Amino acid sequence: MLSPIRIVSKAAEFAAHRHTGERRKARPDEPYINHLAEVANILAEVTDGADAELVAAGWLHDTVEDELATRAELVSEFGDRIAALVDEVTDDMSLPQAKRRQKQVEDAPHKSPGAKLIKIADKISNVRARIHSDPTAEQRNELAAYTIWAEQVVAGCRGGNAALDRMFDDTVKLARSRP
Ligand code: ZN
């Protein structure tokens, strides 16, 4: 078993390496790793660093969905719990987007406590990424639609961490206060 700092550091390095060259869809000016760093750091902050495996899973949460790693690989590199957490937040990309979004809403209440925290942190990061200083009409609509869906997913995930719930609510408030 690696020490907490080593497991987080290893996950960050693994994610950085696997996501090399990717950019954020909602913010093409930013490398994808900014999203992973944000999610991992939100998880570290709201749990005050108490759960290194959760933070490591935050770094890794998109690797399987994006087909950059397999679950078996995560098990052998990081152990069963981290691999299971990532697996729980991995969408089935063979489904069309509308179906995937619906499934996230339906499945959210049945996730483990750790997976629920990752989901909320992910939605915070993704709503924030859609808040632009001078949005086009399309960006405004995208933010509004994404925020409504994120609220539906998060409704099934809340209650595990008050600071995280508050951070999500503040993010939604900020999104809705934009012109
Ligand atoms: Zn993500």
Side-chain angles (χ1 to χ4, degrees):
M1 182 76 174
L2 293 175
S3 70
I5 187 72
R6 283 201 58 199
I7 206 118
V8 171
S9 178
K10 182 178 172 175
E13 197 277 337
F14 185 96
H17 187 74
R18 294 298 164 103
H19 288 276
T20 297
E22 265 186 76
R23 314 207 63 90
R24 304 190 70 177
K25 275 145 270 172
R27 276 194 185 267
D29 55 324
E30 281 189 27
Y32 200 77
I33 192 154
N34 286 18
H35 167 62
L36 306 170
E38 186 177 19
V39 169
N41 193 51
I42 288 169
L43 293 168
E45 186 184 323
V46 299
T47 57
D48 200 21
D51 189 345
E53 290 188 337
L54 179 71
V55 177
W59 276 107
L60 298 166
H61 78 273
D62 282 324
T63 53
V64 175
E65 183 168 300
D66 293 348
E67 295 180 355
L68 303 168
T70 62
R71 178 174 177 161
E73 198 175 6
L74 295 186
V75 169
S76 83
E77 294 286 334
F78 298 99
D80 287 331
R81 178 164 175 248
I82 291 174
L85 283 168
V86 172
D87 192 51
E88 277 195 88
V89 299
T90 296
D91 276 358
D92 178 354
M93 296 304 280
S94 69
L95 300 171
Q97 191 196 58
K99 223 162 164 80
R100 288 202 312 272
R101 288 196 167 189
Q102 186 54 36
K103 212 168 149 7
Q104 279 201 32
V105 174
E106 289 164 8
D107 293 350
H110 312 293
K111 301 282 179 198
S112 69
K116 287 179 177 175
L117 301 186
I118 297 171
K119 273 278 163 214
I120 299 173
D122 190 36
K123 294 294 180 273
I124 290 170
S125 172
N126 286 338
V127 171
R128 283 178 182 168
R130 285 167 171 78
I131 299 174
H132 299 278
S133 52
D134 188 17
T136 63
E138 193 186 339
Q139 285 170 334
R140 233 192 311 264
N141 292 339
E142 161 71 4
L143 173 62
Y146 191 92
T147 303
I148 289 169
W149 172 63
E151 277 187 303
Q152 292 171 352
V153 177
V154 168
C157 297
R158 311 177 71 97
N161 183 293
L164 185 62
D165 291 351
R166 216 160 29 236
M167 194 185 283
F168 178 77
D169 292 339
D170 289 346
T171 304
V172 169
K173 222 173 282 170
L174 183 66
R176 298 244 161 89
S177 72
R178 309 303 288 191

